[in-house]
DNA sequence: CTCGTTTGTGCAACTAGTTGCACAAACCCG
DNA sequence: CGGGTTTGTGCAACTAGTTGCACAAACGAG
């Protein structure tokens, strides 16, 4: 049950409309908590009903459709409560590792191309993160909030680095495997 | 839609009953595709209905309740198909990173204890993986299937190593932070 | 031998996330 | 100025995963 809290965080960082939130989920928050616009609108409705957020009063109420939301004190309190509460890590689910294990049994036919594709995706993601790091965390800035956000970004960078390296190793392993394994 | 394929893989490695599968998910497959016994029984039913697996004919059909399943050719074919098919990585969702980002906004009060707890969990998991590696992959064995399975285990080991290190860094960062951050 | 515990199988209801579609307003192009 | 694209909001139906419970057989201790 974290989507509402992801949204509260995003709205505290900056009040936004549904679509703006969607975009920010695509670029930033979504790197570790992805959501579609449908999910977001649904959740905005619930959060408003619960009195955690409210639509910003707009000057021309009827003209443009764009509704921006801001967090109310109750919402901030709920987010603080949730952040501090102890939570168990959610179970991992990784299809690629599963497929690799399956391929030890049914043969490696066909999986190699997809490993390459994933390697490429992870490389791109890594490049994107490094771009963000360069832009948002130049050496020297160290306000506490920056340090926390940087820490989060570094987790992303290091995870992508790991996958990139691991996939490279895996592909090397494939090069040495007798053709198409058991099956 | 990977649970059925996780089960097929497990059953190909060794025909099992529902409960045996559940245990194996807790110890091994579940490290990257966790499932509860309820999910497993439900899925066994579907797989049997689809003709992908069948209950092993048992000598005393009525006495002990334990039903073991084995994979049928159609099931193996389906698994091979799925393994080879190109798949997009599923979106990440990591609550801890989300909470850390939230704590940059609402304050770090209370989260540190949970970081410690997670660090401890990851250390244990890492130790468990290393135990398995020592037991199942002593230097010198390199049948192709072993190498693939070892690769998968290494991913687990390296991921836990990453989290352990990252959490250690994070906690250090906390030590240097002015008390309880913004809020 | 019987009564509590563990083993083993399973259903039902709920929650979270995904997919597919609808529809109005704004904008922009010929 | 009329018609296609983009922006923005949202509902409905479905799929996957979680939680809570039920119940029978086997096992083990007093």
């Amino acid at each position: 049950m974290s989507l509402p809290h992801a949204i509260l965080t995003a709205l505290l960082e900056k009040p936004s409309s549904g679509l703006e939130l969607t975009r920010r989920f695509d670029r930033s928050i979504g790197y570790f908590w992805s959501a579609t616009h449908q999910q977001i609108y649904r959740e905005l409705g619930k959060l408003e009903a619960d009195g955690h957020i409210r639509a910003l009063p707009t000057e021309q109420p009827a003209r443009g459709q764009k509704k921006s939301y801001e967090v109310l004190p109750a919402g901030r309190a709920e987010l603080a409560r949730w952040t501090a509460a102890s939570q168990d890590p959610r179970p991992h689910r990784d299809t690629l590792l599963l497929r690799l294990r399956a391929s030890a049994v049914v043969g490696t036919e066909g999986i190699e191309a997809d490993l390459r594709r994933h390697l490429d995706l992870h490389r791109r993601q890594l490049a994107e993160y490094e771009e963000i790091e360069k832009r948002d965390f130049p050496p020297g800035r160290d306000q506490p909030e920056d340090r926390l956000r940087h820490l989060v970004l570094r987790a992303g960078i290091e995870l992508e680095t790991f996958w990139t390296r691991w996939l490279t190793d895996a592909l090397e392993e494939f090069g040495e495997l007798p053709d198409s394994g058991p099956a």
Side-chain angles (χ1 to χ4, degrees), chain A:
Chain A
M1 248 245 344
S2 314
L3 178 57
H5 302 101
I7 292 179
L8 287 172
T9 305
L11 287 181
L12 279 170
E13 288 172 356
K14 179 173 175 334
S16 310
S17 68
L19 192 70
E20 281 161 0
L21 275 177
T22 303
R23 289 205 225 283
R24 293 172 57 204
F25 267 75
D26 286 344
R27 276 187 291 102
S28 144
I29 297 251
Y31 293 148
F32 47 89
W33 204 276
S34 68
T36 60
H37 75 271
Q38 292 92 331
Q39 277 179 282
I40 289 170
Y41 283 113
R42 204 181 349 169
E43 210 59 47
L44 283 172
K46 285 188 205 161
L47 284 166
E48 190 175 25
D50 291 352
H52 288 153
I53 63 174
R54 65 162 184 178
L56 275 181
T58 160
E59 304 77 38
Q60 280 95 340
R63 204 201 35 176
Q65 288 314 76
K66 251 185 358 185
K67 260 190 299 184
S68 271
Y69 292 92
E70 69 177 351
V71 178
L72 295 171
R76 173 182 277 265
E78 166 55 23
L79 182 60
R81 190 204 57 72
W82 176 82
T83 305
S86 158
Q87 282 180 41
D88 284 330
R90 45 177 30 228
H92 313 124
R93 299 225 157 89
D94 189 305
T95 332
L96 201 57
L97 291 176
L98 192 55
R99 285 163 69 200
L100 215 55
R101 174 136 175 187
S103 78
V105 183
V106 299
T108 54
E109 197 84 45
I111 200 178
E112 194 174 342
D114 211 33
L115 290 180
R116 276 187 222 290
R117 199 171 63 89
H118 280 244
L119 175 54
D120 191 54
L121 290 172
H122 285 293
R123 278 211 247 260
R124 279 173 208 281
Q125 188 63 62
L126 177 56
E128 196 173 328
Y129 285 162
E130 283 174 339
E131 201 51 44
I132 295 176
E133 185 177 37
K134 204 160 44 167
R135 171 161 49 79
D136 293 353
F137 304 96
R141 303 183 65 211
D142 54 353
Q143 275 70 44
E145 320 89 71
D146 288 329
R147 295 176 70 160
L148 285 174
R149 280 191 267 261
H150 194 181
L151 200 56
V152 172
L153 180 60
R154 282 224 316 271
I157 292 179
E158 288 172 37
L159 280 170
E160 294 304 329
T161 304
F162 157 71
W163 283 112
T164 305
R165 191 171 37 67
W166 183 83
L167 281 164
T168 308
D169 288 359
L171 283 165
E172 227 167 83
E173 196 79 43
F174 268 69
E176 298 168 21
L177 236 49
D179 259 353
S180 99

mmCIF file of all heavy atoms in Angstrom, chain A residues 56-78:
data_model
loop_
_atom_site.group_PDB
_atom_site.id
_atom_site.type_symbol
_atom_site.label_atom_id
_atom_site.label_comp_id
_atom_site.label_asym_id
_atom_site.label_seq_id
_atom_site.Cartn_x
_atom_site.Cartn_y
_atom_site.Cartn_z
ATOM 1 N N LEU A 56 -6.152 22.571 -5.558
ATOM 2 C CA LEU A 56 -5.793 23.975 -5.381
ATOM 3 C C LEU A 56 -6.896 24.838 -5.950
ATOM 4 O O LEU A 56 -7.335 24.621 -7.081
ATOM 5 C CB LEU A 56 -4.501 24.285 -6.131
ATOM 6 C CG LEU A 56 -3.192 23.984 -5.414
ATOM 7 C CD1 LEU A 56 -2.029 24.381 -6.310
ATOM 8 C CD2 LEU A 56 -3.134 24.750 -4.104
ATOM 9 N N PRO A 57 -7.355 25.827 -5.192
ATOM 10 C CA PRO A 57 -8.348 26.757 -5.749
ATOM 11 C C PRO A 57 -7.702 27.486 -6.919
ATOM 12 O O PRO A 57 -6.621 28.040 -6.794
ATOM 13 C CB PRO A 57 -8.608 27.705 -4.587
ATOM 14 C CG PRO A 57 -7.474 27.535 -3.637
ATOM 15 C CD PRO A 57 -6.909 26.182 -3.865
ATOM 16 N N THR A 58 -8.363 27.435 -8.072
ATOM 17 C CA THR A 58 -7.776 28.048 -9.262
ATOM 18 C C THR A 58 -8.540 29.329 -9.609
ATOM 19 O O THR A 58 -9.724 29.455 -9.295
ATOM 20 C CB THR A 58 -7.787 27.066 -10.440
ATOM 21 O OG1 THR A 58 -7.666 27.783 -11.657
ATOM 22 C CG2 THR A 58 -9.074 26.260 -10.470
ATOM 23 N N GLU A 59 -7.850 30.267 -10.257
ATOM 24 C CA GLU A 59 -8.447 31.572 -10.539
ATOM 25 C C GLU A 59 -9.654 31.448 -11.466
ATOM 26 O O GLU A 59 -10.726 31.940 -11.168
ATOM 27 C CB GLU A 59 -7.417 32.517 -11.153
ATOM 28 C CG GLU A 59 -6.174 32.700 -10.295
ATOM 29 C CD GLU A 59 -5.213 31.507 -10.386
ATOM 30 O OE1 GLU A 59 -5.070 30.961 -11.501
ATOM 31 O OE2 GLU A 59 -4.636 31.099 -9.354
ATOM 32 N N GLN A 60 -9.437 30.755 -12.604
ATOM 33 C CA GLN A 60 -10.548 30.546 -13.525
ATOM 34 C C GLN A 60 -11.091 29.134 -13.338
ATOM 35 O O GLN A 60 -10.765 28.241 -14.099
ATOM 36 C CB GLN A 60 -10.091 30.704 -14.985
ATOM 37 C CG GLN A 60 -9.981 32.136 -15.455
ATOM 38 C CD GLN A 60 -8.568 32.677 -15.324
ATOM 39 O OE1 GLN A 60 -7.759 32.137 -14.571
ATOM 40 N NE2 GLN A 60 -8.259 33.731 -16.062
ATOM 41 N N PRO A 61 -11.972 28.951 -12.383
ATOM 42 C CA PRO A 61 -12.335 27.598 -11.978
ATOM 43 C C PRO A 61 -12.861 26.737 -13.121
ATOM 44 O O PRO A 61 -12.641 25.550 -13.147
ATOM 45 C CB PRO A 61 -13.453 27.823 -10.948
ATOM 46 C CG PRO A 61 -13.446 29.301 -10.652
ATOM 47 C CD PRO A 61 -12.791 29.985 -11.791
ATOM 48 N N ALA A 62 -13.563 27.340 -14.078
ATOM 49 C CA ALA A 62 -14.273 26.523 -15.042
ATOM 50 C C ALA A 62 -13.518 26.321 -16.369
ATOM 51 O O ALA A 62 -13.819 25.404 -17.106
ATOM 52 C CB ALA A 62 -15.638 27.142 -15.328
ATOM 53 N N ARG A 63 -12.532 27.162 -16.643
ATOM 54 C CA ARG A 63 -11.974 27.177 -17.994
ATOM 55 C C ARG A 63 -11.071 25.975 -18.319
ATOM 56 O O ARG A 63 -11.517 24.977 -18.831
ATOM 57 C CB ARG A 63 -11.239 28.492 -18.248
ATOM 58 C CG ARG A 63 -11.159 28.815 -19.717
ATOM 59 C CD ARG A 63 -10.057 29.782 -20.024
ATOM 60 N NE ARG A 63 -8.880 29.569 -19.154
ATOM 61 C CZ ARG A 63 -7.771 30.247 -19.280
ATOM 62 N NH1 ARG A 63 -7.713 31.207 -20.156
ATOM 63 N NH2 ARG A 63 -6.732 30.003 -18.508
ATOM 64 N N GLY A 64 -9.792 26.112 -17.979
ATOM 65 C CA GLY A 64 -8.894 24.978 -18.220
ATOM 66 C C GLY A 64 -9.293 23.816 -17.327
ATOM 67 O O GLY A 64 -9.784 24.011 -16.227
ATOM 68 N N GLN A 65 -9.080 22.572 -17.784
ATOM 69 C CA GLN A 65 -9.494 21.414 -16.995
ATOM 70 C C GLN A 65 -8.499 21.094 -15.874
ATOM 71 O O GLN A 65 -8.808 20.363 -14.962
ATOM 72 C CB GLN A 65 -9.615 20.176 -17.887
ATOM 73 C CG GLN A 65 -10.800 20.177 -18.832
ATOM 74 C CD GLN A 65 -12.108 20.587 -18.188
ATOM 75 O OE1 GLN A 65 -12.352 21.776 -17.937
ATOM 76 N NE2 GLN A 65 -12.965 19.624 -17.918
ATOM 77 N N LYS A 66 -7.281 21.571 -16.019
ATOM 78 C CA LYS A 66 -6.212 21.100 -15.140
ATOM 79 C C LYS A 66 -6.465 21.380 -13.664
ATOM 80 O O LYS A 66 -6.579 22.520 -13.244
ATOM 81 C CB LYS A 66 -4.878 21.728 -15.548
ATOM 82 C CG LYS A 66 -4.001 20.706 -16.165
ATOM 83 C CD LYS A 66 -2.603 21.013 -16.560
ATOM 84 C CE LYS A 66 -1.998 22.352 -16.406
ATOM 85 N NZ LYS A 66 -0.646 22.329 -17.008
ATOM 86 N N LYS A 67 -6.552 20.310 -12.891
ATOM 87 C CA LYS A 67 -6.731 20.430 -11.459
ATOM 88 C C LYS A 67 -5.411 20.130 -10.757
ATOM 89 O O LYS A 67 -4.858 19.047 -10.909
ATOM 90 C CB LYS A 67 -7.769 19.414 -10.963
ATOM 91 C CG LYS A 67 -9.146 19.993 -10.744
ATOM 92 C CD LYS A 67 -10.054 18.991 -10.020
ATOM 93 C CE LYS A 67 -10.252 17.708 -10.831
ATOM 94 N NZ LYS A 67 -11.214 16.780 -10.173
ATOM 95 N N SER A 68 -4.896 21.078 -9.992
ATOM 96 C CA SER A 68 -3.692 20.802 -9.219
ATOM 97 C C SER A 68 -4.059 20.475 -7.777
ATOM 98 O O SER A 68 -5.016 21.012 -7.244
ATOM 99 C CB SER A 68 -2.746 22.010 -9.252
ATOM 100 O OG SER A 68 -1.881 21.908 -10.358
ATOM 101 N N TYR A 69 -3.271 19.610 -7.190
ATOM 102 C CA TYR A 69 -3.526 19.198 -5.816
ATOM 103 C C TYR A 69 -2.379 19.602 -4.909
ATOM 104 O O TYR A 69 -1.221 19.649 -5.332
ATOM 105 C CB TYR A 69 -3.679 17.684 -5.733
ATOM 106 C CG TYR A 69 -4.918 17.165 -6.401
ATOM 107 C CD1 TYR A 69 -4.895 16.767 -7.736
ATOM 108 C CD2 TYR A 69 -6.111 17.073 -5.695
ATOM 109 C CE1 TYR A 69 -6.043 16.286 -8.356
ATOM 110 C CE2 TYR A 69 -7.262 16.593 -6.307
ATOM 111 C CZ TYR A 69 -7.224 16.203 -7.633
ATOM 112 O OH TYR A 69 -8.348 15.721 -8.238
ATOM 113 N N GLU A 70 -2.719 19.893 -3.660
ATOM 114 C CA GLU A 70 -1.687 20.112 -2.656
ATOM 115 C C GLU A 70 -1.988 19.239 -1.446
ATOM 116 O O GLU A 70 -3.117 18.815 -1.243
ATOM 117 C CB GLU A 70 -1.616 21.584 -2.238
ATOM 118 C CG GLU A 70 -2.839 22.012 -1.451
ATOM 119 C CD GLU A 70 -2.759 23.457 -0.949
ATOM 120 O OE1 GLU A 70 -1.675 24.076 -1.077
ATOM 121 O OE2 GLU A 70 -3.787 23.942 -0.432
ATOM 122 N N VAL A 71 -0.937 18.984 -0.650
ATOM 123 C CA VAL A 71 -1.095 18.104 0.501
ATOM 124 C C VAL A 71 -1.613 18.884 1.698
ATOM 125 O O VAL A 71 -1.131 19.986 1.982
ATOM 126 C CB VAL A 71 0.255 17.440 0.853
ATOM 127 C CG1 VAL A 71 0.116 16.562 2.089
ATOM 128 C CG2 VAL A 71 0.773 16.634 -0.326
ATOM 129 N N LEU A 72 -2.576 18.332 2.399
ATOM 130 C CA LEU A 72 -3.075 18.936 3.635
ATOM 131 C C LEU A 72 -2.296 18.388 4.826
ATOM 132 O O LEU A 72 -1.637 17.343 4.719
ATOM 133 C CB LEU A 72 -4.566 18.611 3.795
ATOM 134 C CG LEU A 72 -5.468 19.219 2.715
ATOM 135 C CD1 LEU A 72 -6.888 18.679 2.825
ATOM 136 C CD2 LEU A 72 -5.460 20.747 2.821
ATOM 137 N N PRO A 73 -2.368 19.080 5.963
ATOM 138 C CA PRO A 73 -1.647 18.614 7.155
ATOM 139 C C PRO A 73 -1.898 17.137 7.472
ATOM 140 O O PRO A 73 -0.957 16.406 7.787
ATOM 141 C CB PRO A 73 -2.197 19.513 8.264
ATOM 142 C CG PRO A 73 -2.592 20.773 7.565
ATOM 143 C CD PRO A 73 -3.063 20.362 6.215
ATOM 144 N N ALA A 74 -3.139 16.705 7.349
ATOM 145 C CA ALA A 74 -3.448 15.297 7.617
ATOM 146 C C ALA A 74 -2.648 14.373 6.704
ATOM 147 O O ALA A 74 -2.195 13.309 7.123
ATOM 148 C CB ALA A 74 -4.939 15.051 7.437
ATOM 149 N N GLY A 75 -2.490 14.797 5.457
ATOM 150 C CA GLY A 75 -1.739 13.993 4.502
ATOM 151 C C GLY A 75 -0.268 13.921 4.870
ATOM 152 O O GLY A 75 0.354 12.856 4.823
ATOM 153 N N ARG A 76 0.284 15.057 5.252
ATOM 154 C CA ARG A 76 1.681 15.093 5.660
ATOM 155 C C ARG A 76 1.894 14.200 6.891
ATOM 156 O O ARG A 76 2.861 13.436 6.955
ATOM 157 C CB ARG A 76 2.105 16.526 5.981
ATOM 158 C CG ARG A 76 3.487 16.654 6.572
ATOM 159 C CD ARG A 76 3.811 18.094 6.916
ATOM 160 N NE ARG A 76 4.281 18.836 5.748
ATOM 161 C CZ ARG A 76 5.579 18.990 5.460
ATOM 162 N NH1 ARG A 76 6.506 18.455 6.220
ATOM 163 N NH2 ARG A 76 5.936 19.678 4.397
ATOM 164 N N ALA A 77 0.957 14.282 7.825
ATOM 165 C CA ALA A 77 1.059 13.464 9.043
ATOM 166 C C ALA A 77 1.033 11.984 8.681
ATOM 167 O O ALA A 77 1.836 11.186 9.176
ATOM 168 C CB ALA A 77 -0.084 13.792 9.997
ATOM 169 N N GLU A 78 0.106 11.616 7.793
ATOM 170 C CA GLU A 78 0.003 10.223 7.377
ATOM 171 C C GLU A 78 1.306 9.758 6.714
ATOM 172 O O GLU A 78 1.792 8.653 6.969
ATOM 173 C CB GLU A 78 -1.176 10.038 6.420
ATOM 174 C CG GLU A 78 -1.211 8.737 5.661
ATOM 175 C CD GLU A 78 -1.156 7.500 6.548
ATOM 176 O OE1 GLU A 78 -1.523 7.597 7.730
ATOM 177 O OE2 GLU A 78 -0.712 6.439 6.054
#
